[in-house]
């Protein structure tokens, strides 16, 4: 049933990926007037708004005759609102916030302005970390600026490890062994809570084993999730499901939020969580009884590549205030603003020097900074990824394996076929 639902979802998303009717670039480049900005509304948005207000005030002092109107839009309805904005310049903002996996789709829709030259001429941009820069780059051109980055690492219960005489695992094999031992000696706990719907918790296992989701051939992508290296990672992750650690009946449907919630509630000795999970854990039963280390890789002391998530800001191609919009983009994504957003919201800066300073002020950030420094990974930069993600292609693959419905070979092969269909449909 899960496979049928996912297939239907994938088909629906693919059918919605027809070329947009977005208009071309605006005529003119006004240097006065009103600039409109759409940012995502956060849970507890006031601290973010305060940082943005300070940045906008600084921008206004340097740009006389310019007014900036900021609107905070719900994340849940962003896709419909942004697509409508691409198609109706009269109601469109000049600058938008968007998820970094949406870059390629928005470029294909013709909505984002090419700011390659502006980015190259911006002195602060040289300190942007490579993974964040990749998230605004499509076919060698830059379509925005990174706002913050999110990355995952390994949370573990220090009291449980102390009582059982354990040390943080230094390899993925040790991670599995440690998880089994904890569950054996503390059966009320998941050793390592994992989720069949936790794509970005599972992919580090694929990347650590030398696998990739897909590879680019010319201008198109081809799935490689069924390669030998990728299947080693899939096997290593799905082997964590079972009565020895995290039973499929309880864990197959879990997503990332649910795994972090289980850890925060004291139901698991380990979890793969993000820097953005810190507050949730601090507010739970694990408070004061946990630490974080980078998720280990295959080799002793190595770090598994983590997905580099986060959000970007972009200038709409339809903006009639392009120069001003680019200047505002720099202000809102600049080092001072990103430092303020870290202090206010915990958003991890995309600049390597600002991130080091953030880790100095807040030591909990250090393992996430190390993870990024070791080399983060990203999903295929193509409009097809939105269809693949919405179609739950990878979660269905994991769930079919942990439920015993399909072997690793069969499930990976089926996932690769669905991915390739999406890649072909994206053009």
């Amino acid at each position: 049933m899960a496979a049928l639902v996912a297939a239907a979802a994938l088909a629906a998303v693919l059918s919605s990926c027809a070329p947009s009717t977005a208009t071309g670039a605006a005529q003119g480049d006004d240097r006065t007037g009103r600039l409109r900005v759409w940012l995502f509304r956060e849970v507890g948005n006031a601290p973010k708004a305060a940082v943005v207000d300070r940045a906008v005030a600084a921008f206004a002092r340097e740009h006389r005759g310019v007014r900036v109107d900021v609107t905070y839009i719900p994340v849940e309805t962003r896709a419909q609102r942004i697509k409508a904005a691409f198609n109706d310049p009269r109601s469109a903002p000049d600058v938008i916030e968007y998820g970094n996996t949406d870059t390629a789709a928005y470029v294909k829709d013709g909505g984002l302005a090419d700011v390659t030259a502006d980015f190259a001429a911006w002195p602060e941009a040289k300190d942007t970390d490579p993974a964040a820069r990749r998230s605004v780059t499509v076919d060698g051109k830059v379509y925005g600026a990174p706002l913050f980055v999110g990355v995952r690492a390994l949370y573990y219960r220090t009291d449980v490890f102390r009582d059982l005489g354990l040390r943080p695992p230094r390899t993925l094999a040790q991670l599995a062994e440690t998880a089994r031992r904890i569950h054996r000696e503390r059966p009320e706990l998941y050793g390592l809570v994992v989720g069949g719907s936790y794509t970005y918790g599972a992919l580090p296992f694929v990347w650590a084993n030398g696998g990739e989701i897909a590879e680019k051939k010319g201008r198109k992508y081809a799935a490689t999730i069924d390669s030998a290296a990728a299947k080693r990672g899939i096997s290593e992750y799905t082997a964590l499901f079972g009565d020895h650690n995290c039973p499929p009946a309880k864990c197959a449907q879990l997503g990332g939020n649910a795994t972090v919630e289980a850890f925060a509630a004291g139901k698991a000795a380990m979890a793969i969580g993000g820097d953005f999970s810190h507050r949730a854990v601090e507010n739970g039963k694990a408070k004061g009884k946990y630490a974080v280390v980078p998720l280990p890789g295959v080799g002793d002391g190595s770090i598994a590549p983590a997905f580099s998530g986060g959000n970007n800001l972009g200038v709409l191609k339809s903006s009639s205030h392009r120069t001003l919009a680019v200047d505002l983009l720099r202000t809102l994504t600049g080092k001072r603003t990103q430092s303020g957003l870290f202090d206010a919201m915990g958003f991890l800066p995309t600049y390597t020097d600002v991130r080091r300073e953030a880790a100095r002020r807040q030591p909990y950030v250090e393992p996430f900074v190390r993870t990024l420094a070791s080399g983060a990974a990203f999903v295929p930069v193509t409009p097809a990824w939105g269809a693949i993600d919405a179609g739950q292609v990878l979660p269905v693959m994991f769930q079919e394996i942990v439920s015993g419905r399909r072997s690793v070979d069969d499930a990976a092969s089926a996932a690769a076929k669905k991915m390739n269909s999406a890649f072909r449909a994206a053009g």
Side-chain angles (χ1 to χ4, degrees):
M1 181 61 71
L4 291 173
V5 171
L10 179 61
V13 174
L14 287 174
S15 67
S16 70
C17 287
S20 169
T21 56
T23 58
Q27 299 298 315
D29 185 15
D30 297 338
R31 304 302 175 96
T32 60
R34 182 173 67 139
L35 282 176
R36 292 177 291 187
V37 181
W38 285 1
L39 302 178
F40 292 161
R41 183 188 304 148
E42 311 293 338
V43 176
N45 196 63
K48 177 180 181 178
V51 175
V52 171
D53 286 348
R54 289 195 296 271
V56 167
F59 176 83
R61 286 193 295 271
E62 296 179 0
H63 297 80
R64 299 298 181 185
V66 178
R67 190 179 88 204
V68 178
D69 291 341
V70 180
T71 300
Y72 292 91
I73 66 172
V75 176
E76 297 78 13
T77 60
R78 70 192 186 282
Q80 303 94 304
R81 293 192 65 164
I82 291 174
K83 188 174 183 66
F86 288 168
N87 294 329
D88 183 10
R90 292 170 300 177
S91 65
D94 299 277
V95 177
I96 60 168
E97 179 177 355
Y98 63 93
N100 64 7
T101 59
D102 292 328
T103 307
Y106 289 170
V107 169
K108 183 182 180 184
D109 284 346
L112 296 178
D114 177 354
V115 295
T116 307
D118 309 279
F119 195 83
W122 183 20
E124 290 190 351
K126 66 178 174 47
D127 295 321
T128 302
D129 80 52
R133 183 178 181 123
R134 283 198 301 274
S135 78
V136 293
T137 304
V138 179
D139 293 332
K141 296 180 179 180
V142 177
Y143 293 91
L147 179 64
F148 67 86
V149 64
V151 70
R152 292 164 178 82
L154 182 68
Y155 286 73
Y156 71 97
R157 284 275 297 274
T158 52
D159 56 335
V160 174
F161 273 60
R162 182 185 62 248
D163 292 346
L164 298 181
L166 297 170
R167 293 183 177 181
R170 291 177 55 83
T171 67
L172 286 176
Q174 288 180 11
L175 176 69
E177 181 183 350
T178 301
R180 290 193 298 269
R181 179 179 168 188
I182 291 170
H183 188 64
R184 184 170 62 249
E185 300 194 27
R186 297 284 183 86
E188 75 280 8
L189 294 175
Y190 301 124
L192 169 67
V193 59
V194 286
S197 291
Y198 192 6
T199 299
Y200 297 119
L203 286 177
F205 291 74
V206 173
W207 290 322
N209 278 277
E212 294 289 346
I213 304 170
E215 63 180 18
K216 198 168 187 180
K217 296 183 176 180
R219 296 183 61 84
K220 294 187 177 182
Y221 279 89
T224 55
I225 196 66
D226 56 346
S227 69
K231 287 189 288 189
R232 283 197 300 271
I234 294 168
S235 297
E236 199 157 25
Y237 183 71
T238 54
L240 293 165
F241 293 79
D243 292 339
H244 58 279
N245 175 51
C246 206
K250 295 182 178 180
C251 301
Q253 300 300 321
L254 297 183
N257 287 345
T259 62
V260 171
E261 288 166 3
F263 181 83
K267 298 177 181 178
M270 294 184 287
I272 299 168
D275 56 280
F276 43 84
S277 306
H278 175 253
R279 288 189 179 182
V281 176
E282 279 289 295
N283 291 332
K285 292 182 179 179
K287 179 179 174 66
K289 299 182 290 187
Y290 74 95
V292 184
V293 293
L295 183 70
V298 173
D300 184 56
S302 64
I303 297 175
F307 168 67
S308 178
N311 287 359
N312 303 328
L313 294 190
V315 173
L316 265 66
K317 187 184 290 187
S318 62
S319 173
S320 59
H321 299 85
R322 188 190 187 283
T323 298
L324 287 173
V326 170
D327 285 349
L328 181 58
L329 178 81
R330 289 169 169 167
T331 299
L332 291 176
T333 61
K335 292 184 177 183
R336 178 175 295 181
T337 304
Q338 288 200 16
S339 180
L341 286 172
F342 171 76
D343 290 337
M345 302 294 295
F347 292 167
L348 203 58
T350 65
Y351 301 100
T352 54
D353 55 339
V354 179
R355 205 155 56 211
R356 284 194 299 270
E357 173 59 21
R360 188 189 66 78
R361 298 200 308 272
Q362 296 287 352
Y364 81 85
V365 172
E366 189 273 339
F368 302 103
V369 172
R370 273 204 290 147
T371 297
L372 283 166
S374 71
F378 200 61
V379 297
V381 183
T382 164
W385 181 253
I388 292 165
D389 198 29
Q392 297 284 291
V393 173
L394 296 181
V396 167
M397 176 188 73
F398 294 126
Q399 290 163 0
E400 287 179 334
I401 295 167
V402 303
S403 68
R405 292 196 300 272
R406 275 185 165 173
S407 66
V408 170
D409 287 344
D410 288 346
S413 177
K417 289 178 181 177
K418 292 176 188 175
M419 291 174 66
N420 284 330
S421 294
F423 291 141
R424 286 192 295 271

